[in-house]
Amino acid sequence: MKKNIDIVIRWILYIYAAIFPWCTYVKKLYYNSEEKRLISSEISGISDAFVYTKAWITVAAAAILLVLIILQVVIYKQKIFGFSITNNKIVTVCIGIYIFCTVISTLIAANRKTALWGGTAGCEGVFVLCAYVIIMLSVKYSCHTYRAQYGSTAKSPVEYIVLTEAVILTILTGVELFYKPVAQIIMGSEYENTYGDMISLTFNSPSYCAAFIILLAPFCIHYLLQAGKLLKTLVWSGLSVSVITAVILTRSTAAFYIVLFETALVVIVTAVLHTHGTSEVAKKEAGIKSNTAAKATHVGQAADMPDNRIKNNIAVKALCLTGVIVCVIIVNVISGSRITDSALNSAVNKTIAIHSDNYYMVRGISVDKGSVTIKGSSNALKCIINDEGNIYFTDGYDNILNIRSDGDSITFPYPYDMISAGFENSALWLDLGYKGRISFAIKNGQFYPMAADGSLINDISSGDKAREELYTDSYKKIDALFTGRGYIWRKTLPLLKNTIIFGHGAGTFGLYFKQFDYAGLLNSQGNVDLIVDRPHSMYIQMAFSQGILCMTAYAVMVITVIITFIKDNKCKNINKLPVIIAVIGFCIMELITDSSVTVNPIFWAVLGLIM
């Protein structure tokens, strides 16, 4: 019975890992009463095809795995950790802190509805966050029982899982490259593509698709280098190139360089280990170690090394890669140089400019009864409604500007000549040269900041202690970091003083972040019509939602696992190389990417492989 349960656990993990990234199901998700405080009353919810399904598949799989592992531990006295080992004790404590902080942060959350389910846009609530740990421990347990049952030299099923996912990735990338976005095929007219030519596949954004490829790429390169037969070499050559092409098409600059780093690292370390293994064999054959047991041990180690197959097949691998690259070049030509354009955009981080060359640099925007004041670098523009209901414009010294009106458009004299304005649906709009424009509804002789959907906004200040504080040049430099993420980080870090032990709960970030900071949004995003509902860093997100203590425990756990892995394995097992490189690459990517249920479960599963 014990072996049967072990087999069931393994097959649940196999199936989950192979199909999870590609699960889709269109469903209408409705905002709860807490989220509605940020969303216009005219919008009831969003249409989702990816997040909700993956969340509940993850929770369901984790629930079944938890029951089966409890049976094995309680009834059959199986062990997940050897507590006599110090590193295992550290990992166990960190896991306990992670779960404790996550659960308590939900229970004490002021916005418990959102924290419980993780918000409509993310669906990464307390159940999903705890499910990650269960999946990780299940993989660790499964690896241990697999080795115990089949021996350490048994062929790992990981290769077949990677093969399945790489093939599906290649097919979907081709569909999106030559036809249309996968999301549009699934959702039809409900899908609004906000990512341009960036591919997302079955992930809810290109960033998460890129993060998944970061986990996949090291395995593909590794299996290519280890391939001995021609057919296998050809298959992994094609999949390796297609996976790298896919990350290029996501147009994620960070992922582009991380995958290049991973590829170089796999190749270099494999070559070093091969050289090391060859020299050891030479010593052995020379009789430096004549003990029979030592020979057996060495042969066992050499089996894990990249043996002479790599050297003998270098020409074959190079020929296969060349053929695949030629095919990619042909595909690039057929697709109208889309791959080349994406590569150039990824390499130099070509993003859409947030303002024109000639724009009015905004230092601050304030609304006071019948006037709107826009402070610039060296002057100010003021829009005023007088007692008769007429609107006029002045400079910073109350001098009336001689504007020109051409139909519904208003132009301004120097030095405000880069600004245009107009009236639409009882509202004044102003184009200051940024990507988006700002609008103010006119009611009862007063101005009211207005969102794109027509809803009114109460407060457009920065939210800093000094309401009149201007947007400084130092803010501009910080906020421009990582395509506007610096702004979100700068505004989020002060919020963490309240989440040292416990956080505000999963999915609640947008309810605490100071929204509608017009000056900050214009200078960092180029647009004021957006809701910042994520901090764009998994570590900051965890510190905010689950607490700084939880984030610290998570970091300590990952670092401990990585150090232990490197220390224990050294040059012993080349087949474990892609696992550690994938984990390191993903951890780097998560510095600038949020946690997401569309990809993070795979990372926790990979983390379980090296535990």
Side-chain angles (χ1 to χ4, degrees), residues 474-583:
S474 60
Y475 282 170
K476 185 178 180 181
K477 292 178 181 178
I478 295 172
D479 293 357
L481 293 174
F482 299 102
T483 59
R485 288 177 174 88
Y487 166 75
I488 300 174
W489 297 342
R490 175 176 68 83
K491 304 289 284 188
T492 301
L493 290 179
L495 302 177
L496 300 184
K497 66 179 182 293
N498 299 318
T499 63
I500 296 174
I501 304 298
F502 302 116
H504 292 300
T508 63
F509 178 81
L511 300 172
Y512 288 87
F513 187 85
K514 176 61 180 73
Q515 307 288 351
F516 311 116
D517 170 15
Y518 271 23
L521 287 172
L522 283 174
N523 288 295
S524 63
Q525 317 296 324
N527 194 351
V528 299
D529 292 319
L530 55 88
I531 299 294
V532 180
D533 60 353
R534 294 168 182 256
H536 291 273
S537 170
M538 187 191 73
Y539 305 101
I540 296 177
Q541 180 181 0
M542 188 178 293
F544 179 90
S545 302
Q546 298 157 264
I548 293 177
L549 176 62
C550 180
M551 187 271 291
T552 304
Y554 168 83
V556 171
M557 178 187 70
V558 174
I559 292 170
T560 300
V561 169
I562 291 174
I563 292 175
T564 302
F565 175 87
I566 294 174
K567 180 180 177 181
D568 290 350
N569 283 276
K570 295 180 181 177
C571 302
K572 295 180 181 178
N573 195 337
I574 189 64
N575 291 321
K576 294 181 180 179
L577 175 63
V579 186
I580 191 68
I581 292 178
V583 167

Side-chain angles (χ1 to χ4, degrees), residues 322-608:
T322 302
V324 173
I325 291 172
V326 169
C327 292
V328 171
I329 292 173
I330 295 173
V331 168
N332 180 57
V333 173
I334 297 174
S335 65
S337 300
R338 184 173 171 183
I339 297 175
T340 303
D341 293 342
S342 296
L344 293 174
N345 277 275
S346 299
V348 298
N349 195 22
K350 286 186 177 179
T351 57
I352 300 174
I354 63 172
H355 55 71
S356 61
D357 293 335
N358 185 26
Y359 74 108
Y360 189 78
M361 166 63 183
V362 174
R363 299 291 190 184
I365 302 177
S366 59
V367 181
D368 183 20
K369 295 182 180 180
S371 67
V372 174
T373 302
I374 303 173
K375 298 177 182 178
S377 298
S378 57
N379 52 35
L381 175 68
K382 200 168 185 178
C383 315
I384 303 172
I385 302 178
N386 60 22
D387 295 337
E388 288 75 31
N390 298 319
I391 298 177
Y392 61 96
F393 301 87
T394 69
D395 61 12
Y397 302 100
D398 293 330
N399 298 312
I400 297 178
L401 297 177
N402 185 23
I403 63 172
R404 295 178 58 186
S405 180
D406 182 13
D408 294 330
S409 180
I410 299 172
T411 56
F412 295 82
Y414 180 85
Y416 307 97
D417 51 315
M418 73 289 290
I419 301 175
S420 61
F423 297 94
E424 184 177 349
N425 298 326
S426 300
L428 168 69
W429 59 263
L430 291 137
D431 186 341
L432 306 172
Y434 289 90
K435 187 167 59 177
R437 61 190 191 183
I438 56 178
S439 298
F440 299 89
I442 304 171
K443 293 184 178 181
N444 302 322
Q446 295 190 22
F447 289 111
Y448 296 89
M450 186 176 71
D453 60 9
S455 58
L456 302 183
I457 301 167
N458 294 325
D459 183 10
I460 61 171
S461 69
S462 66
D464 296 330
K465 291 182 179 179
R467 184 184 176 90
E468 294 79 18
E469 182 179 354
L470 294 179
Y471 189 88
T472 63
D473 289 330
S474 60
Y475 282 170
K476 185 178 180 181
K477 292 178 181 178
I478 295 172
D479 293 357
L481 293 174
F482 299 102
T483 59
R485 288 177 174 88
Y487 166 75
I488 300 174
W489 297 342
R490 175 176 68 83
K491 304 289 284 188
T492 301
L493 290 179
L495 302 177
L496 300 184
K497 66 179 182 293
N498 299 318
T499 63
I500 296 174
I501 304 298
F502 302 116
H504 292 300
T508 63
F509 178 81
L511 300 172
Y512 288 87
F513 187 85
K514 176 61 180 73
Q515 307 288 351
F516 311 116
D517 170 15
Y518 271 23
L521 287 172
L522 283 174
N523 288 295
S524 63
Q525 317 296 324
N527 194 351
V528 299
D529 292 319
L530 55 88
I531 299 294
V532 180
D533 60 353
R534 294 168 182 256
H536 291 273
S537 170
M538 187 191 73
Y539 305 101
I540 296 177
Q541 180 181 0
M542 188 178 293
F544 179 90
S545 302
Q546 298 157 264
I548 293 177
L549 176 62
C550 180
M551 187 271 291
T552 304
Y554 168 83
V556 171
M557 178 187 70
V558 174
I559 292 170
T560 300
V561 169
I562 291 174
I563 292 175
T564 302
F565 175 87
I566 294 174
K567 180 180 177 181
D568 290 350
N569 283 276
K570 295 180 181 177
C571 302
K572 295 180 181 178
N573 195 337
I574 189 64
N575 291 321
K576 294 181 180 179
L577 175 63
V579 186
I580 191 68
I581 292 178
V583 167
I584 293 172
F586 189 87
C587 288
I588 295 172
M589 182 67 176
E590 291 298 84
L591 288 168
I592 60 170
T593 308
D594 302 290
S595 174
S596 171
V597 71
T598 59
V599 66
N600 276 59
I602 300 297
F603 166 72
W604 285 82
V606 174
L607 190 62

Side-chain angles (χ1 to χ4, degrees), residues 26 47 180-193:
V26 179
S47 293
K180 59 183 176 181
V182 175
Q184 187 174 343
I185 297 173
I186 297 169
M187 301 178 67
S189 60
E190 295 183 28
Y191 174 70
E192 294 182 8
N193 187 8

Side-chain angles (χ1 to χ4, degrees), residues 180-255:
K180 59 183 176 181
V182 175
Q184 187 174 343
I185 297 173
I186 297 169
M187 301 178 67
S189 60
E190 295 183 28
Y191 174 70
E192 294 182 8
N193 187 8
T194 58
Y195 300 112
D197 290 332
M198 299 181 285
I199 68 167
S200 300
L201 306 185
T202 56
F203 302 87
N204 58 326
S205 87
S207 296
Y208 303 137
C209 181
F212 173 74
I213 296 173
I214 285 173
L215 291 172
L216 191 63
F219 289 93
C220 294
I221 303 299
H222 168 76
Y223 293 131
L224 167 61
L225 295 178
Q226 297 303 304
K229 297 180 180 179
L230 176 60
L231 179 60
K232 194 173 182 180
T233 300
L234 186 60
V235 168
W236 284 113
S237 295
L239 293 178
S240 297
V241 173
S242 67
V243 164
I244 294 175
T245 302
V247 83
I248 289 173
L249 291 171
T250 65
R251 296 200 177 195
S252 169
T253 301

